[in-house]
Amino acid sequence: MTKIIKDIDLAVKEIHEGNVIGLPTETVYGLGANALNENAVIKIYETKDRPKFNPVIVHVRDVADFEKYAIDIPDEVYKLADKFSPGPVTFVLKKNNIIQDIVTAGNDSVGLRIPSHNIFREVLKETGLPIAAPSANKAGKISPTSADDVLSELRGKINYILDGGKCEIGIESTIISFLNGDVNILRHGFITKEDIEKVTGKVTDDKTGKILSPGLLKVHYAPKTPLYRVNNFDEVKDIKDKKIGYLDFSKYADYKEIAVHLFSDLRDLDRQKLDFIVYKKVENKGIGIAINDRLERARTMNNEQ
Ligand code: TXA
Ligand code: MG
């Protein structure tokens, strides 16, 4: 039986025992375990049905911890962390040998993130451990943004989900790689390319697909209901024999608000037994880039099926 709990001590105990647990972060819920315990990390992969070639992010309390797990850390990392951490940004750095292959899928780099969610930070403090945590969804599915979402993804597969309310940001962290002297965005997120450029100067945008990141897995964030992109909702208004869901962002004030509701709205529509869902892409700038990216992946999966 999977239980939603508020008891941080129980969550800490579960992690110390080498189990995996649903944990709240400001971006999306994570499926966390002791990053230094190989068997515990293996359980993360098994619980999510995650392919073993897809590395997991390690969450730590502060920048000083980066030096415990990474080497050759460039100055830009400290500058960016100073501005955006704790928060929705992940730094891909050269790993040291404390970090085991299971965490990095055999790569010689590790993704490090300092989450800002108070409850997650409390768990980091009380366990005294780095916590490996991918998003707490089944592989290829929509990331969860509430404890109930995690329950619907992983019911019966984990003992506990620590409830931290609805995620404030709603989409996953921006992932930046610093390997080979570059500042390279592997996954767009709430911290935008412009935000990063203001701190570091020009950054590159990895679209080549050479580096393994979630951006490479086309099958990601997919609802069960087919999702289609339209230029205008009028395009489907004459279809009378189908139940159509509208993922309509016009009710939201700005991209931040769209991001907060993106996955939960998609989940709500997905539960309604519709024939298909339609959406209009947003303008491809700022957080809009991350929003379009998540939608494009969700849509592509369905078009391929
Ligand atoms: O906001 C987030 O990042 C959330 C919360 C829970 O922290 N986590 C998250 O994890 O989205 P996940 O596993 O669903 O997506 C992180 C992605 C992985 O798919 C992986 O491809 C990429 O980060 N990643 C992790 N370590 C990496 C590395 N060393 N090199 C390149 N990509 C890496
Ligand atoms: Mg994920």
Side-chain angles (χ1 to χ4, degrees), residues 27 50 54-55 59 109 113 134-135 172-173 175 187 212-214:
T27 57
R50 184 182 182 101
N54 195 2
H59 299 72
S109 62
R113 174 160 117 74
S135 52
E172 306 85 348
S173 63
I175 301 182
R187 177 174 71 185
L212 185 65
S213 82

Side-chain angles (χ1 to χ4, degrees), residues 33-34 38 50 69 104-106 108 144 171-172 206 231 247 261 267 293 303:
N34 176 357
E38 187 176 17
R50 184 182 182 101
Y69 309 114
T104 67
D108 57 9
I171 55 172
E172 306 85 348
D206 190 278
N231 294 318
L247 185 58
H261 297 283
R267 250 172 216 283
D293 167 75
N303 285 353

Side-chain angles (χ1 to χ4, degrees), residues 206-256:
D206 190 278
K207 290 220 168 64
T208 60
K210 283 199 299 279
I211 301 172
L212 185 65
S213 82
L216 296 195
L217 297 176
K218 274 208 161 168
V219 184
H220 223 92
Y221 315 115
K224 289 191 226 65
T225 319
L227 176 69
Y228 298 111
R229 191 182 72 206
V230 293
N231 294 318
N232 194 311
F233 287 141
D234 281 352
E235 284 171 38
V236 293
K237 78 172 188 313
D238 293 330
I239 302 173
K240 302 286 182 220
D241 58 339
K242 297 266 190 265
K243 277 193 268 170
I244 306 173
Y246 294 86
L247 185 58
D248 185 0
F249 304 131
S250 62
K251 57 180 175 270
Y252 300 126
D254 54 24
Y255 288 171
K256 267 192 200 173

Side-chain angles (χ1 to χ4, degrees), residues 64-117:
D65 292 324
F66 285 5
E67 276 146 44
K68 293 187 191 156
Y69 309 114
I71 51 173
D72 301 342
I73 305 171
D75 286 348
E76 284 104 332
V77 171
Y78 293 100
K79 285 191 204 148
L80 287 165
D82 198 39
K83 191 131 204 263
F84 302 119
S85 298
V89 57
T90 298
F91 301 92
V92 173
L93 304 170
K94 220 189 234 180
K95 79 171 190 78
N96 69 14
N97 55 17
I98 296 173
I99 296 292
Q100 300 172 56
D101 278 349
I102 185 71
V103 172
T104 67
N107 291 295
D108 57 9
S109 62
V110 60
L112 295 173
R113 174 160 117 74
I114 305 169
S116 66
H117 196 296

Side-chain angles (χ1 to χ4, degrees), residues 172-199:
E172 306 85 348
S173 63
T174 307
I175 301 182
I176 317 169
S177 163
F178 297 84
L179 306 176
N180 316 318
D182 291 335
V183 181
N184 194 1
I185 300 181
L186 300 185
R187 177 174 71 185
H188 288 273
F190 184 83
I191 303 298
T192 65
K193 190 175 177 185
E194 298 81 65
D195 293 335
I196 298 162
E197 276 175 346
K198 272 185 207 144
V199 179

Side-chain angles (χ1 to χ4, degrees), residues 8 15 23 119-127 131 162:
I8 294 180
I15 291 169
L23 293 171
I119 292 179
F120 199 114
R121 295 188 64 73
E122 198 62 26
V123 172
L124 285 168
K125 185 171 160 218
E126 294 303 319
T127 55
I131 293 183
L162 187 57

